[in-house]
Amino acid sequence: MKKMLVLVLLALIVSGCAANRHHKLYEGDPALRAQIQSFDTILIKYIDDEDMGMSFIGQKQTYDIKAGQHTLLVEYSDLFQVDADQHEKIVSRPAKVTFIAEPGKQYQLQHAPQKRLDNARAFAEKPEFWVVELASGDRVAAEVELSRPRSFLQGLKFENTPSYEFASDEVKPVAVTPIAANTGGTTPVSIAAEPTTLQMLQYSWKNASSEEKAAFIKWIETSK
């Protein structure tokens, strides 16, 4: 029975993989259109804060986008056969990938192949992604931010508590004005400030649920 259920699951996945889904996120001037294509084992969860819905391992997805800068939220995901009756699905920590898409070009997020289950498990803890321009096969400049385990009350788990968070969501970049070299002038530069412990606590408290806040207060009282 267990083996039959696995076979049914795999059949559903293969059926899902066979579909070629085309998402027209941009339907404006064709001269300003670019495309992103999915990779067999990379799931594109969001594009610019827009939920891309459910997708399956191996399913081909094509996204029409407007040329310009875009941020994608992605995960590595793959299915491995453990033995005759067991399979294990590997899902990585989410990552944000930001790059500039040029008009008329097609792009794809990629990663190094993971052939072994133990390697895939390790890769899922610290995945590495890059963006390729498909016509040339060249990698393009991209900023990749790996998520981290949610820092607020890590020992307490609630149903509505996200597993991961991004440091870039905590403190916005602040403008600083360093002295420009050899010019005697100044050049405004935007850099990301390192968040203080207080700022991190304030951010965590602001985004915590009522359950988490109550548990945190209780922890403070018992820790005195």
Side-chain angles (χ1 to χ4, degrees):
M1 177 60 71
K2 185 175 181 181
K3 188 173 183 178
M4 180 61 68
L5 290 175
V6 170
L7 292 175
V8 171
L9 176 62
L10 289 175
L12 290 173
I13 293 175
V14 170
S15 176
C17 293
N20 183 350
R21 301 182 61 190
H22 194 158
H23 307 263
K24 296 183 179 180
L25 307 182
Y26 174 70
E27 299 185 81
D29 186 352
L32 299 178
R33 186 181 305 150
Q35 282 189 340
I36 301 173
Q37 292 185 6
S38 65
F39 193 60
D40 289 350
T41 49
I42 295 180
L43 305 182
I44 300 176
K45 311 297 289 185
Y46 284 84
I47 297 180
D48 298 330
D49 295 325
E50 183 177 348
D51 191 345
M52 292 297 103
M54 182 178 294
S55 59
F56 299 92
I57 299 168
Q59 185 180 48
K60 184 178 180 180
Q61 309 268 359
T62 300
Y63 304 89
D64 289 348
I65 57 173
K66 185 177 181 180
Q69 180 171 298
H70 295 276
T71 297
L72 284 60
L73 181 67
V74 302
E75 294 176 344
Y76 161 76
S77 184
D78 204 354
L79 189 67
F80 288 83
Q81 183 171 347
V82 179
D83 54 38
D85 296 319
Q86 293 185 344
H87 290 76
E88 182 175 336
K89 184 178 180 180
I90 302 296
V91 180
S92 77
R93 296 163 57 178
K96 284 182 181 180
V97 181
T98 301
F99 74 103
I100 296 175
E102 297 182 25
K105 293 190 176 182
Q106 294 181 320
Y107 301 89
Q108 186 179 62
L109 272 75
Q110 297 182 5
H111 64 79
Q114 304 299 312
K115 301 297 185 181
R116 294 166 50 93
L117 176 57
D118 53 348
N119 292 338
R121 287 171 178 161
F123 179 79
E125 290 299 316
K126 195 174 182 181
E128 295 183 5
F129 303 107
W130 54 80
V131 181
V132 170
E133 197 269 299
L134 290 176
S136 65
D138 296 332
R139 296 189 190 184
V140 302
E143 179 182 345
V144 180
E145 180 187 6
L146 187 62
S147 63
R148 64 189 185 191
R150 194 166 186 270
S151 59
F152 185 76
L153 297 178
Q154 293 187 27
L156 299 175
K157 297 297 181 182
F158 301 93
E159 185 176 352
N160 62 342
T161 301
S163 299
Y164 297 99
E165 62 184 2
F166 290 90
S168 61
D169 293 334
E170 291 186 357
V171 181
K172 299 302 182 181
V174 296
V176 297
T177 311
I179 301 299
N182 302 323
T183 64
T186 60
T187 304
V189 179
S190 179
I191 63 172
E194 183 71 21
T196 66
T197 301
L198 176 59
Q199 288 173 323
M200 293 176 66
L201 285 171
Q202 290 172 334
Y203 171 83
S204 297
W205 180 265
K206 180 180 177 182
N207 291 275
S209 66
S210 298
E211 288 177 300
E212 292 174 314
K213 289 179 179 178
F216 184 60
I217 292 173
K218 182 178 180 180
W219 174 79
I220 292 175
E221 293 174 346
T222 58
S223 299
K224 292 179 180 178

